[in-house]
Amino acid sequence: MNNDLLARYEAIVGPDVIDQLKQMAHHLKKARVLHVNSTRYGGGVAEILRSMVPLMEALGLCVRWEVISGPEEFFKVTKSMHNALQGFPIEFTDEDIRLYEDNNRREFEKLKKVLSEADFVFIHDPQPAFLIKFMPERKNHWIWRCHIDLSRPYRPVWRYLRNIVSDYDASIFSMPDFTQPLPHPQYIIPPSIDPLTEKNIELPEEEVRAVYDRFGLDPKKPLVLQVSRFDRFKDPIGVVRAALMAMKFMPLQLVYAGGGAADDPEGEVIYREVLAAAKGHPDIHILYLPPEAHRTVNALQRAADVVLQKSTREGFGLTVTEAMWKKKPVIGGDTGGIRIQVVNHHTGFLVHTPEGAALRIRYLLFYHDKRLEMGLKAHRFVKENFLITRHLRDYLSLMLAFISGNGERIEVEATG
Ligand code: UDP
């Protein structure tokens, strides 16, 4: 058990939370856990795994994280599957299916040994989901962890994927709206952020202020920020429009800080579209950041007066929790996981249109006290609900449910 790491979390969440984790993990000592996803950098899944894996290890579990690879065409197919699962009609051809399945077969050959040795296999999202089809005789527990908004999937693609994920022993969704009829238990586990990472730790004031110089921002103008990949569902054009509308009434500047993810080939195209929408406006700053720019994102989030996440579909939206942790109210699209983070009028505002976002930007920039009050509420809300320690507790509960079945009860003593 790595008590040093646990002590660092304890300083933030308190001793009872850590004590409970230790007691739960005690029943899972030496359990072999394998996580498989499709990118080590960029995007929310990688972000979570980077913290979850060492924390599970610190509690005494034996954890591995494997990443499947593939040619560009594979990721094009999985990206369009992803879009379809979030509701976009796409053409999904036999050739696409062949590419998807063949790549999973090749990856299975590489991972065969670790996949069979693990007690618990967590497969994240659709990209590696097909691996299960190559292990019909498996003895271990396979769990499909879906991070995307599956509430209104494009049916032909979901029918195909449902046939695959039905083979799993359980699935996990980020919120109840995303569940689908499946022949196994479904768990609701919202994602989380890690308060100890470069992305979220407290920063010295100078480092926060330095972003103004670095990106040519005006320290006298309020800063409105959205951090997101260049992805249609993040509505980057809507963000630019909202800022332009609000600017007609008050001075402000917008930073849209984005980047790509290794498993997302669409980024470049959208980036160019956003640049075109900004029309070179001096108060609109479109930043293309490298995937490891965690401290920069942290500093921007801390420097911001108001944070937007104007997505039109969103699995969860880690960026929302990240901003709320930094005491910023968030103006978020009324969709998916944003709804469980932004409590309308309390931790931020839910909006449907660029016009709505513009109105809320003006409100929050005008009412300084209200902004601070909502920011504090947002921080408390994250502390109670969306830190990695809560997330880990949910994973441990799920694994305990598997090993105890309907029989033995797992007793976790009350502390204090
Ligand atoms: N992110 C980043 N740089 C960028 C864009 C995003 O570091 O240019 C991070 C962001 O801070 C968050 C994650 O990537 O931690 C994105 O997760 P989210 O759930 O918001 O969206 P996803 O990209 O998974 O759809």
Side-chain angles (χ1 to χ4, degrees), residues 204-243:
E205 196 46 46
E206 317 80 74
E207 189 171 344
V208 175
R209 273 199 311 266
V211 294
Y212 285 92
D213 258 2
R214 212 169 129 201
F215 298 114
L217 309 179
D218 181 347
K220 287 190 223 68
K221 279 188 187 151
L223 176 57
V224 177
L225 172 75
Q226 175 158 316
V227 176
S228 298
R229 287 178 297 108
F230 289 95
D231 178 308
R232 261 180 234 298
F233 290 121
K234 310 285 183 187
D235 197 14
I237 310 270
V239 169
V240 170
R241 285 184 49 212

Side-chain angles (χ1 to χ4, degrees), residues 120-414:
F120 296 94
V121 177
F122 288 88
I123 300 285
H124 295 261
D125 282 340
Q127 296 91 332
F130 202 76
L131 291 173
I132 198 168
K133 290 287 185 192
F134 305 110
M135 270 193 82
E137 304 287 297
R138 73 209 154 74
K139 303 250 178 316
N140 46 7
H141 307 293
W142 283 55
I143 297 121
W144 186 55
R145 202 310 175 213
C146 176
H147 295 267
I148 55 190
D149 178 347
L150 210 59
S151 51
R152 282 166 293 173
Y154 176 56
R155 287 283 149 190
V157 175
W158 170 238
R159 267 199 298 277
Y160 168 75
L161 188 68
R162 188 180 56 197
N163 171 45
I164 300 165
V165 299
S166 292
D167 285 6
Y168 283 75
D169 302 308
S171 48
I172 304 175
F173 295 92
S174 295
M175 52 188 286
D177 288 9
F178 300 171
T179 57
Q180 288 286 337
L182 285 167
H184 57 226
Q186 299 183 46
Y187 292 81
I188 307 297
I189 304 186
S192 61
I193 59 159
D194 181 349
L196 294 180
T197 54
E198 296 272 280
K199 177 72 57 71
N200 297 309
I201 45 163
E202 294 270 355
L203 294 179
E205 196 46 46
E206 317 80 74
E207 189 171 344
V208 175
R209 273 199 311 266
V211 294
Y212 285 92
D213 258 2
R214 212 169 129 201
F215 298 114
L217 309 179
D218 181 347
K220 287 190 223 68
K221 279 188 187 151
L223 176 57
V224 177
L225 172 75
Q226 175 158 316
V227 176
S228 298
R229 287 178 297 108
F230 289 95
D231 178 308
R232 261 180 234 298
F233 290 121
K234 310 285 183 187
D235 197 14
I237 310 270
V239 169
V240 170
R241 285 184 49 212
L244 287 172
M245 277 184 253
M247 265 176 213
K248 291 195 181 131
F249 297 89
M250 55 185 8
L252 63 93
Q253 57 198 328
L254 170 75
V255 169
Y256 186 106
D263 59 352
D264 177 6
E266 267 176 3
E268 289 274 334
V269 180
I270 312 275
Y271 172 64
R272 279 195 292 274
E273 285 178 21
V274 183
L275 279 185
K279 295 190 196 120
H281 194 294
D283 285 322
I284 299 201
H285 304 264
I286 311 294
L287 312 181
Y288 201 101
L289 300 177
E292 70 282 4
H294 301 298
R295 259 185 117 91
T296 306
V297 170
N298 187 346
L300 283 167
Q301 287 167 332
R302 288 181 191 279
D305 295 286
V306 169
V307 171
L308 294 184
Q309 190 55 56
K310 221 209 101 1
S311 309
T312 52
R313 289 277 200 290
E314 191 61 78
F316 181 69
L318 282 176
T319 48
V320 175
T321 285
E322 287 164 7
M324 285 168 57
W325 180 242
K326 290 152 194 144
K327 305 191 173 88
K328 310 295 165 174
V330 174
I331 300 172
D334 188 3
T335 184
I338 295 177
R339 287 187 182 144
I340 55 173
Q341 303 177 75
V342 174
V343 182
N344 210 8
H345 295 268
H346 292 277
T347 65
F349 289 107
L350 292 170
V351 296
H352 300 92
T353 56
E355 287 77 6
L359 197 73
R360 294 312 188 185
I361 292 172
R362 289 169 55 201
Y363 176 88
L364 284 172
L365 291 182
F366 190 79
Y367 294 105
H368 183 255
D369 289 354
K370 192 75 193 160
R371 188 166 84 228
L372 295 185
E373 183 197 317
M374 286 172 84
L376 283 176
K377 259 195 203 170
H379 176 79
R380 281 202 300 274
F381 197 62
V382 169
K383 188 165 178 188
E384 275 158 30
N385 297 291
F386 300 119
L387 292 186
I388 185 106
T389 38
R390 187 276 309 152
H391 197 172
L392 178 57
R393 188 187 66 212
D394 289 349
Y395 272 6
L396 295 177
S397 305
L398 181 155
M399 288 189 268
L400 287 172
F402 268 109
I403 58 167
S404 64
N406 295 325
E408 186 197 350
R409 275 188 351 188
I410 306 279
E411 299 283 353
V412 178
E413 287 163 27

